[in-house]
Amino acid sequence: MSRRSGILEFAVLGLLRESPMHGYELRKRLNTSLGVFRAFSYGTLYPCLKTLVANGWLIEESGPGPADAPAAPLAGRRAKIVYRLTAEGKEHFEDLLAQTGPDAYEDETFAARFAFFGQTSRDVRMRVLEGRRSRLEERLEKMRLSFARTRERLDDYTLELQRHGMESVEREVRWLNELIESERAGRDQRRSGPESAAQQDTSGETGGLPRHRDSTRPDPSDDTAM
């Protein structure tokens, strides 16, 4: 299985864990909620769904079509299919959520993983965030070295493009630092006892997102921030 196919399967299982959906609804959620999947078509989604059904992780049920789906032609009309996560599918998705290997730090994989952080345990979130930060710090160091070696030979526009790339990575590293500090603060408050836990309102078990003072937080699915 390719990495991209694996990411799609992960995202489909995660969305169906929230609620059963039609293929049309799934594709819309993938496109709107998870920007990394904007380029996916029905021709990519439906083979993925069939594979998940064959593996026993999804079941197909007949149901009414979504209200905003395109009208099907009268000829060849068929019942709409609702996809529902099975108990085995839920268990498989939870196994995927618990994985924190190097693949979780890559650009596309991290964006999909981050989209489901609300369903991920705090310890796993921390490992993924710290791994992603280390990966970007390594990338940033290589970019700086390359910039220092080549800046005298490049025109102004190419230099600006390289600066933009470095600033994008630096911005995501700062954002990751904020997230990691918020996760650590939430964990420390939880360990300190019920009184401290009762005082926290932004970093509980389901997440510790920092309160941002502006709108500069990078989108994990934005390729310019990778």
Side-chain angles (χ1 to χ4, degrees):
M1 180 193 304
S2 69
R3 175 183 294 169
R4 197 159 172 80
S5 297
I7 299 169
L8 179 59
E9 289 189 4
F10 173 83
V12 167
L13 292 171
L15 290 174
L16 290 176
R17 189 186 185 191
E18 298 173 3
S19 65
M21 296 185 201
H22 300 272
Y24 174 80
E25 293 171 311
L26 268 171
R27 182 169 182 264
K28 190 163 87 168
R29 287 288 304 278
L30 288 168
N31 288 343
T32 58
S33 302
L34 305 174
V36 68
F37 297 106
R38 289 190 187 102
F40 277 98
S41 65
Y42 286 114
T44 303
L45 175 60
Y46 281 108
C48 171
L49 290 170
K50 289 187 178 299
T51 297
L52 295 176
V53 171
N55 288 339
W57 298 330
L58 302 181
I59 57 173
E60 297 177 331
E61 301 174 339
S62 296
D68 55 348
L74 291 177
R77 184 189 296 269
R78 57 183 179 180
K80 298 295 182 181
I81 300 297
V82 174
Y83 295 91
R84 183 184 300 275
L85 198 65
T86 64
E88 292 81 4
K90 181 178 180 181
E91 182 178 353
H92 178 63
F93 179 67
E94 290 171 351
D95 288 341
L96 295 176
L97 279 180
Q99 294 178 9
T100 59
D103 282 350
Y105 318 147
E106 299 298 333
D107 294 352
E108 289 184 348
T109 313
F110 175 75
R113 289 298 302 269
F114 190 84
F116 294 99
F117 262 22
Q119 303 182 41
T120 306
S121 70
R122 186 188 302 275
D123 290 343
V124 171
R125 291 198 304 262
M126 282 290 291
R127 289 196 292 272
V128 173
L129 290 171
E130 289 173 342
R132 175 66 176 174
R133 181 176 63 180
S134 295
R135 180 63 53 84
L136 288 183
E137 287 174 341
E138 293 172 3
R139 183 184 302 176
L140 185 59
E141 181 62 23
K142 291 178 181 178
M143 294 173 74
R144 286 170 174 163
L145 290 173
S146 175
F147 183 79
R149 287 195 304 264
T150 61
R151 62 182 305 169
E152 300 300 328
R153 303 194 301 269
L154 300 177
D155 62 72
D156 291 343
Y157 295 102
T158 305
L159 285 173
E160 282 304 310
L161 185 62
Q162 289 199 1
R163 287 194 185 97
H164 172 68
M166 287 191 294
E167 289 171 359
S168 297
V169 177
E170 289 170 348
R171 186 168 61 249
E172 186 174 350
V173 170
R174 290 194 299 269
W175 173 65
L176 290 166
N177 285 335
E178 291 182 8
L179 290 170
I180 290 168
E181 288 306 310
S182 292
E183 293 287 349
R184 285 175 177 162
R187 181 172 60 189
D188 292 343
Q189 288 179 2
R190 183 184 61 177
R191 288 176 175 174
S192 63
E195 293 183 1
S196 296
Q199 294 173 359
Q200 74 180 53
D201 61 354
T202 61
S203 57
E205 277 299 316
T206 58
L209 293 177
R211 296 182 182 274
H212 291 272
R213 289 183 291 273
D214 54 41
S215 59
T216 60
R217 186 181 77 184
D219 179 351
S221 66
D222 184 354
D223 290 340
T224 64
M226 300 300 175

